[in-house]
Amino acid sequence: MAHIIVVGNEKGGAGKSTVAMHIATALVRMGHVVGVLDLDLRQRSFGRYIDNRKDFMAAEGLDLPCPIYRELPNIAKESLGPGENVYDQRLSAAVTGLEREVEFILIDCPGSHTRLSQVAHSLADTLVTPLNDSFVDFDLLAHIDPRTNRVLGPSVYAEMVWNARQLRAQAGLDPIDWVVVRNRVGAQAMHNKKKMEDAVNALARRVGFRVASGFSERVIFRELFPRGLTLLDLRDIGVQNLNLSNVAARQELRELVKELRLPGVTVDF
């Protein structure tokens, strides 16, 4: 059985596709076979990231490590049984097809609540939730008292993850290893940064997730997307002397992959 990694957060702009692409290509570089799916059927940010990578390789004559990307197959509605949902069947068919070929399946979810996203979360062995350093984003996970910043209780996204955990338990599957990744964190030790850290750690104990560090806010990520590149590709395209920001970003990626604790993965980049 392939280990399924789901990258999910119901708010756009959290850096899901950047995190997903870097995790997937890092695993491929370490010798693992990885299949990827993009469930945002409208925007396709992750799918376009893969397309950009293939176009850049073709234009430059390069052969960079790349995960296996699959579109969700079409399912004829007349083939559905009573009560069956076409989106459930499309996702199931895509996962079943990839499982025969890969060790890991990484699924990038849209920044909104959809049926596809809900089902994907119930399939997750590892759930990665990038979270920007903002109480606007934090509100998806929990309600807080505006005067004391005390966590009052789980919010909409945490409730969906809880439901997914219940479905897995009913099916006799292992619990989801939920990792909330603090992403796009500013370099300065600001007061808001400390309050966010305290709130996330308090919620982690209450709701049941692990906290990991993601990527700091860096211009390099905006520059990589149009060419479909990641931090680990820079030397392959001729950048021999990485600047301090790029070196620090590679270290952040290394630490993130380590903190995911994926089965059979030894970080060696």
Side-chain angles (χ1 to χ4, degrees):
M1 296 287 289
H3 186 93
I4 297 179
I5 307 165
V6 172
V7 181
N9 180 332
E10 289 187 10
K11 183 180 183 301
K16 290 190 302 296
S17 296
T18 297
V19 168
M21 186 67 166
H22 277 79
I23 292 172
T25 52
L27 289 172
V28 175
R29 280 189 174 273
M30 290 185 288
H32 300 282
V33 185
V34 181
V36 294
L37 302 170
D38 186 351
L39 301 192
D40 190 340
L41 304 182
R42 179 178 175 84
Q43 190 167 339
R44 287 189 72 253
S45 294
F46 190 36
R48 288 190 296 114
Y49 208 146
I50 297 285
D51 291 342
N52 293 346
R53 188 175 185 82
K54 292 178 179 177
D55 291 344
F56 180 79
M57 288 193 295
E60 299 295 325
L62 295 172
D63 183 19
L64 301 173
C66 195
I68 301 167
Y69 177 75
R70 293 284 169 79
E71 300 277 0
L72 297 188
N74 291 318
I75 301 290
K77 290 187 177 181
E78 55 270 20
S79 69
L80 298 175
E84 288 185 337
N85 182 286
V86 65
Y87 291 109
D88 295 3
Q89 296 303 311
R90 292 181 70 186
L91 180 54
S92 176
V95 169
T96 300
L98 278 172
E99 276 193 321
R100 293 190 286 265
E101 304 176 41
V102 304
E103 300 168 67
F104 294 95
I105 298 174
L106 189 146
I107 303 174
D108 188 30
C109 292
S112 59
H113 181 83
T114 66
R115 173 72 181 190
L116 276 173
S117 181
Q118 186 177 6
V119 174
H121 280 66
S122 68
L123 299 177
D125 297 304
T126 299
L127 172 60
V128 180
T129 300
L131 183 73
N132 286 346
D133 223 37
S134 160
F135 279 102
V136 174
D137 287 51
F138 184 80
D139 190 64
L140 282 172
L141 294 180
H143 299 298
I144 63 170
D145 186 316
R147 292 165 298 178
T148 65
N149 290 326
R150 184 172 63 88
V151 174
L152 301 177
S155 192
V156 289
Y157 183 72
E159 291 285 0
M160 187 183 76
V161 176
W162 174 253
N163 291 333
R165 283 172 157 167
Q166 288 182 310
L167 288 173
R168 285 181 66 87
Q170 292 167 8
L173 300 174
D174 291 336
I176 298 171
D177 182 18
W178 186 11
V179 185
V180 170
V181 176
R182 294 187 63 207
N183 208 36
R184 293 178 171 170
V185 177
Q188 297 178 341
M190 296 176 290
H191 182 57
N192 180 74
K193 181 177 177 180
K194 180 63 168 62
K195 289 200 297 184
M196 271 293 295
E197 180 180 355
D198 292 342
V200 170
N201 289 335
L203 187 63
R205 293 188 293 270
R206 182 166 179 173
V207 175
F209 57 75
R210 298 190 290 114
V211 182
S213 299
F215 301 128
S216 300
E217 184 65 56
R218 300 181 193 278
V219 174
I220 183 66
F221 293 113
R222 293 193 289 272
E223 297 173 343
L224 293 172
F225 175 82
R227 295 175 291 172
L229 299 176
T230 70
L231 295 165
L232 301 182
D233 300 317
L234 296 178
R235 287 200 172 98
D236 290 337
I237 64 170
V239 181
Q240 297 303 320
N241 297 313
L242 302 181
N243 61 38
L244 290 177
S245 178
N246 294 345
V247 172
R250 281 175 62 99
Q251 180 62 29
E252 290 171 350
L253 175 59
R254 185 180 299 113
E255 292 304 314
L256 172 58
V257 177
K258 282 182 181 179
E259 291 182 38
L260 293 182
R261 304 173 191 169
L262 299 172
V265 173
T266 300
V267 179
D268 59 0
F269 61 85

